[in-house]
Amino acid sequence: MTRTDRQLTRPACDKALLSDWDAQVGAAGPGVRGDFHASPGALALDCTGRVATKFVAGQAGIVLVPDPASLGALPERGWEHLLATQRARAAALGLPLDWELDERFPDRLPNRLAAAGFRERRPVTVLLGSAGHAAAGRGDDLPPGIRVQADSTDYAAVRDLARTVRGGDWSWLPDALAHWVRDDRAPCTVVTARTPRGRLVAAAWVRFHPGTPFASLWGGATAPAWRGRGLYRALVRLRAALAADRGHRLLYTEAMGSSRPVLCRSGFGPVRVLVPYRYCPPGR
């Protein structure tokens, strides 16, 4: 483990590494992520040129902002037009629309979104970790016969598990996984936990970012009856090991409250908070 990795939980070091992520991976755009932002589908560019919106397969739309700081230069009339356009697009499709804010956005944006009918939702934590440390973490005893392995085959089963665990449509996921696995910009590997009879009970994936020290972890889901039995942590260890084998020593992930404790026990540290704001058109 390098000196930087040992210091990963120190705030100054974390922020420097987060800046590296923003510059080396984040600047490449949403296509190298491993979530809905990066799923195949059409983008609708806003007339300001500063944002794009994306709606795929009945999913809540997302506002994508390549350069959050640039929004600070938008005049008042520009804000009114931007937000009116976003709301109209969501209303025409009959779908919610999300913004995710962090410290890079203008300070007044939360108030602007609230005034435009966007409502704050549960925050998401961005964490960074050392691949070597996470891969070498203490192994939990898995239930007898459970197999944890790289398993880029049955993407429909991964979709069905996501629907069971998280609700929602997720019909976009099989095509997205197949696309990411073939994507040389950020190759993807799916990992699964299966019972002795082959039933999928946990799944996740990792994307590798060539030319950078980073890999990113996405999509962890465990069937309700199998939670608390070490499966998620085993998937973290396996993905960390795959990243380390490819020479990626740092891991990026975004976590809700349920997975954050496991990640922190695996050596990850929080570096940013994402606060989603959602607009729901009338009737939704």
Side-chain angles (χ1 to χ4, degrees), residues 22-199:
D22 289 338
Q24 298 178 39
V25 184
V32 298
R33 292 170 61 92
D35 60 355
F36 172 60
H37 295 64
S39 59
L43 291 177
L45 293 176
D46 185 82
C47 63
T48 66
R50 290 184 168 90
V51 306
T53 56
K54 186 174 195 174
F55 291 91
V56 176
Q59 194 86 2
I62 185 76
V63 178
L64 304 170
V65 187
D67 182 11
S70 72
L71 294 178
L74 199 61
E76 189 64 33
R77 179 172 293 183
W79 275 112
E80 293 173 359
H81 187 269
L82 170 62
L83 294 175
T85 300
Q86 302 299 330
R87 290 186 301 173
R89 189 169 290 137
L93 295 170
L95 293 171
L97 179 65
D98 292 338
W99 280 67
E100 285 187 349
L101 303 188
D102 58 46
E103 77 284 355
R104 297 170 296 171
F105 284 83
D107 291 341
R108 294 182 63 190
L109 185 50
N111 289 337
R112 292 184 186 276
L113 291 176
F118 288 76
R119 296 293 175 258
E120 183 176 338
R121 307 186 78 216
R122 186 167 51 170
V124 176
T125 302
V126 175
L127 303 102
L128 293 177
S130 160
H133 180 80
R138 181 181 64 83
D140 296 310
D141 292 331
L142 291 173
I146 289 291
R147 292 179 289 111
V148 176
Q149 60 188 8
D151 187 13
S152 295
T153 53
D154 190 356
Y155 304 138
V158 178
R159 174 204 61 207
D160 293 344
L161 178 65
R163 285 173 171 168
T164 298
V165 172
R166 302 190 181 193
D169 183 72
W170 293 87
S171 59
W172 56 270
L173 185 58
D175 286 345
L177 289 173
H179 174 74
W180 298 335
V181 166
R182 300 189 302 266
D183 189 352
D184 291 338
R185 296 174 303 163
C188 175
T189 296
V190 179
V191 298
T192 62
R194 294 181 179 271
T195 67
R197 294 188 177 184
R199 183 163 70 91

